[in-house]
Amino acid sequence: MRDFCMDFSAVVSCFLILVPILTVPTSGAKSRHFRWEVEYMHRSPDGLEGVVIGINGQFPGPTMRARAGDTIHVELTNKLPTEGVVIHWHGIRQLGTPWADGTASISQCAINPGEKFLYRFKVDKAGTYFYHGHYGMQRSAGLYGSLIVDVREGDKEPFEYDGEFNVLLSDWWHKGSHEQELDLSSNPFRWIGEPQTLLINGRGQYNCSLAAELSHSQMSQCKFRGNEPYAPRLLRVQPRKTYRLRIASSTALASLNFAIGNHKLRVVEADGNYVHPFTVDNIDIYSGESYSVLFTADQEPSNNYWISVSVRGREPKTPPGLTILNYQPTPASKLPISPPPVAPAWNDFKYSLALSKRVFALKGTAKPPARPDRRILLLNTQNFVDGYTKWAINNVSLVLPATPYLGSIRYGLTKAFDQTPPPDDFGREYEIMKPAGNPNSTYGNGVYTLSFNTTVDVILQNANALKANVSEIHPWHLHGHDFWVLGYGEGKFTGKDQEKFNLVNPPLKNTAVIFPYGWTALRFVADNPGAWAFHCHIEPHLHMGMGVVFAEGIPRIKKIPREALGCGLTGKLSLKNGGT
Ligand SMILES: [Cu+2]
């Protein structure tokens, strides 16, 4: 905030804009009001100047903080001159406010340039969340920030700590998001490549390395005065104290591994749900996930230590993101005495799987219903549609319609999207271990309509991509719900695998990964009326069609704010009814 105020010499209005401008107590819970302007800005997240989408002059966007039970009001003005915008509140279930989920073409119309939209929703559950753009590839352009929900006043977390830090992770390309979008949509296909830099709280280093001298690298040693926009934000700790790190990954592509040199991490929260605590040397974190980890500053206090973020799951062509754990009163300029911790090999998927399998719900967490009412198997494949490279689910590559599903389903506008639902299964003879015999698929925008209040199992089945011996990681994120992760398996899912589902203490999450050639089983209850995206959180993959839409209980929704539906067929409907 200080940078912003100094940059713009507008201290007074800065405080008015950036802090909640009004808090009104209602039975302990508060309304928290924010006024945001979203705009393009020149920034140098890694030392090279590029264009980012910022909020109120900040990149990443302002950190939002509230208590469980509070209502958040964000009056958002779109100051991008030529494109729409929406913001998704990742991990917030939007109970009773499905129009505030911030998914263009699904829960609302994109907010036009110059227009305002009011996001009003309740944060019902304490946890580590974040928000990000959900239109085009605006997340890749840097439209994201942290959203932290504390426990209700008087409530306690099931663990103790003395201080905390937000660690929002992202990846950064020097090629702009529009060019990336065009590359991915081109024939012949142009892959965007690996990110140039990993960012920690929006900061990374491209032309130098903090650890160059220690790692004997070819890169030059970074030297900072401290006010450079790409100077790392240090984490300053007092010896012997215990800290909570709230780590969230908003990466467009990279799967990451997080470690602090010489320190163990105790994992206590995942995706806004408490987990049975377990201790690790380092933790994998996929795009769309968040974790809270505790660590104690119990090492030699006259030294500083590395915090290191490395690429997993894809051959890393991006150097690790680094910052420093700075023990007080040791000078921050004193570099750690050994090189940064080395992450497990990028393709050690067994390591990753073993880590994912260590996540169990904390005792007392809601348990899943004993059996599902419906099972949906979703095959993840890379395909061609009319010669274009795409991703498809059960052979359908998602192309979003012009009218948001929430409105078209609520008002029975059957012309707004394909009324034939996509398939619940794929041919059982499909060979997941090799490239498809016929890799062609089709575009589609049909919906999985879930009967209200029923229990749904989703089995995500991974497969070989277009190229032989390639199967990628996909972190799948569900909107509007948490799901239980019932199990992970290798190879093709069979009915027998159900017998091994964990129904005792499966973790509740909103994002879960499928590993190469494997499957992941999820269960959730369709009890939140709305239209909900379920998709791979890798932004290029979603852009290439890797998602589906679930809809449940929409006839129960009484009134959808008109502002959410002013486009497509719902926009015309609104005009016909005299604008009401
Ligand atoms: Cu993916």
Side-chain angles (χ1 to χ4, degrees):
M1 173 141 53
R2 218 177 78 219
D3 289 352
F4 168 80
C5 297
M6 286 181 354
D7 286 357
F8 289 79
S9 338
V11 177
V12 175
S13 62
C14 164
F15 275 89
L16 282 176
I17 293 168
L18 296 183
V19 297
I21 54 178
L22 184 69
T23 51
V24 183
T26 49
S27 66
K30 289 190 172 116
S31 288
R32 296 184 188 265
H33 293 248
F34 301 84
R35 198 174 292 152
W36 281 5
E37 294 184 349
V38 177
E39 60 190 334
Y40 281 111
M41 309 187 306
H42 290 110
R43 279 291 186 280
S44 308
D46 65 357
L48 254 66
E49 193 179 78
V51 174
V52 300
I53 303 183
I55 298 172
N56 293 348
Q58 289 180 279
F59 164 77
T63 295
M64 301 176 90
R65 192 130 204 162
R67 279 191 185 277
D70 288 353
T71 301
I72 302 235
H73 304 238
V74 179
E75 188 191 290
L76 188 147
T77 305
N78 179 7
K79 296 196 87 177
L80 306 174
T82 57
E83 64 190 282
V85 73
V86 290
I87 300 220
H88 169 57
W89 316 93
H90 186 108
I92 306 300
R93 290 172 295 169
Q94 301 295 350
L95 304 174
T97 51
W99 49 82
D101 192 43
T103 44
S105 289
I106 300 173
S107 66
Q108 71 170 110
C109 300
I111 307 159
N112 284 321
E115 290 186 348
K116 285 186 200 306
F117 185 80
L118 177 65
Y119 286 103
R120 188 157 56 102
F121 57 92
K122 219 173 187 175
V123 287
D124 61 305
K125 193 156 57 77
T128 303
Y129 307 102
F130 62 108
Y131 60 84
H132 59 80
H134 214 297
Y135 185 48
M137 290 183 61
Q138 293 178 345
R139 181 156 55 90
S140 294
L143 182 51
Y144 43 73
S146 296
L147 168 51
I148 307 300
V149 182
D150 289 304
V151 293
R152 282 164 207 268
E153 205 140 12
D155 281 3
K156 276 192 152 171
E157 304 272 12
F159 41 83
E160 288 185 359
Y161 51 97
D162 304 301
E164 66 169 72
F165 299 96
N166 280 347
V167 180
L168 180 60
L169 305 175
S170 56
D171 43 10
W172 182 248
W173 279 256
H174 293 158
K175 187 180 268 196
S177 61
H178 288 120
E179 195 177 347
Q180 291 184 36
E181 189 170 3
L182 175 62
D183 283 358
L184 297 168
S185 313
S186 293
N187 185 7
F189 178 66
R190 296 194 198 183
W191 176 236
I192 58 168
E194 301 300 310
Q196 274 67 57
T197 312
L198 299 180
L199 306 181
I200 303 175
N201 291 329
R203 288 157 176 254
Q205 296 79 39
Y206 177 67
N207 276 330
C208 65
S209 165
L210 293 177
E213 284 169 9
L214 279 165
S215 339
H216 308 290
S217 85
Q218 302 293 315
M219 301 192 64
S220 62
Q221 178 69 35
C222 295
K223 299 229 162 24
F224 293 109
R225 293 187 311 274
N227 56 356
E228 294 89 348
Y230 55 98
R233 289 231 194 265
L234 309 179
L235 276 63
R236 295 197 168 91
V237 294
Q238 298 293 336
R240 291 178 301 283
K241 299 276 189 205
T242 295
Y243 293 87
R244 177 182 192 171
L245 288 182
R246 295 175 175 274
I247 313 170
S249 175
S250 179
T251 55
L253 174 67
S255 301
L256 302 174
N257 181 268
F258 178 95
I260 309 180
N262 297 50
H263 292 72
K264 299 262 183 208
L265 309 172
R266 193 157 173 80
V267 184
V268 292
E269 182 215 341
D271 295 1
N273 293 289
Y274 298 124
V275 300
H276 184 74
F278 63 101
T279 303
V280 291
D281 289 324
N282 55 62
I283 185 166
D284 284 343
I285 176 161
Y286 303 96
S287 178
E289 286 190 317
S290 66
Y291 286 99
S292 280
V293 299
L294 304 179
F295 71 93
T296 301
D298 55 4
Q299 296 299 302
E300 171 52 47
S302 62
N303 289 333
N304 292 322
Y305 300 87
W306 292 114
I307 294 175
S308 174
V309 178
S310 315
V311 172
R312 299 295 318 281
R314 308 178 65 88
E315 196 171 351
K317 294 175 181 147
T318 316
L322 295 173
T323 185
I324 285 171
L325 185 70
N326 175 212
Y327 273 55
Q328 301 295 297
T330 304
S333 57
K334 184 179 177 193
L335 285 179
I337 52 174
S338 43
V342 176
W346 69 271
N347 54 358
D348 187 351
F349 295 110
K350 283 208 158 39
Y351 185 94
S352 304
L353 178 64
L355 260 180
S356 293
K357 283 184 165 178
R358 290 188 69 184
V359 185
F360 296 110
L362 184 67
K363 208 171 165 203
T365 304
K367 287 196 168 119
R371 56 189 63 81
D373 299 301
R374 179 175 174 185
R375 188 177 74 187
I376 302 174
L377 282 103
L378 300 178
L379 176 69
N380 290 234
T381 50
Q382 199 180 25
N383 299 79
F384 295 116
V385 184
D386 304 333
Y388 290 86
T389 303
K390 298 287 168 189
W391 288 91
I393 303 307
N394 290 353
N395 222 33
V396 180
S397 185
L398 180 66
V399 176
L400 291 169
T403 310
Y405 292 103
L406 183 64
S408 52
I409 298 173
R410 175 65 184 79
Y411 298 110
L413 306 173
T414 55
K415 292 204 167 65
F417 65 92
D418 186 353
Q419 296 297 298
T420 312
D424 267 23
D425 204 344
F426 56 95
R428 305 305 294 150
E429 70 290 349
Y430 189 92
E431 292 192 59
I432 64 153
M433 300 305 289
K434 32 186 210 190
N438 172 8
N440 290 328
S441 75
T442 52
Y443 294 124
N445 61 18
V447 166
Y448 289 95
T449 304
L450 310 176
S451 301
F452 187 64
N453 250 337
T454 57
T455 301
V456 180
D457 275 10
V458 175
I459 316 293
L460 290 160
Q461 176 68 61
N462 211 341
N464 202 104
L466 284 170
K467 215 168 124 191
N469 301 316
V470 173
S471 182
E472 294 187 20
I473 281 182
H474 304 285
W476 277 78
H477 172 60
L478 177 59
H479 292 230
H481 311 77
D482 286 334
F483 49 68
W484 291 275
V485 185
L486 302 185
Y488 301 88
E490 291 172 52
K492 201 196 285 188
F493 178 84
T494 70
K496 268 202 146 183
D497 289 315
Q498 291 180 94
E499 292 159 21
K500 287 179 272 171
F501 282 175
N502 173 12
L503 300 177
V504 179
N505 56 359
L508 269 174
K509 297 196 78 219
N510 61 54
T511 304
V513 73
I514 49 171
F515 292 104
Y517 302 108
W519 55 262
T520 300
L522 316 173
R523 179 169 295 178
F524 67 96
V525 180
D527 56 0
N528 188 13
W532 306 109
F534 179 49
H535 62 92
C536 176
H537 209 261
I538 290 178
E539 190 146 80
H541 290 184
L542 172 60
H543 187 70
M544 293 160 71
M546 199 167 206
V548 298
V549 176
F550 292 141
E552 74 218 34
I554 291 182
R556 296 168 173 261
I557 300 170
K558 293 217 166 59
K559 198 169 185 303
I560 301 168
R562 216 179 354 154
E563 297 73 25
L565 302 177
C567 63
L569 297 181
T570 43
K572 288 187 182 132
L573 187 76
S574 169
L575 281 178
K576 226 165 70 190
N577 295 344
T580 56

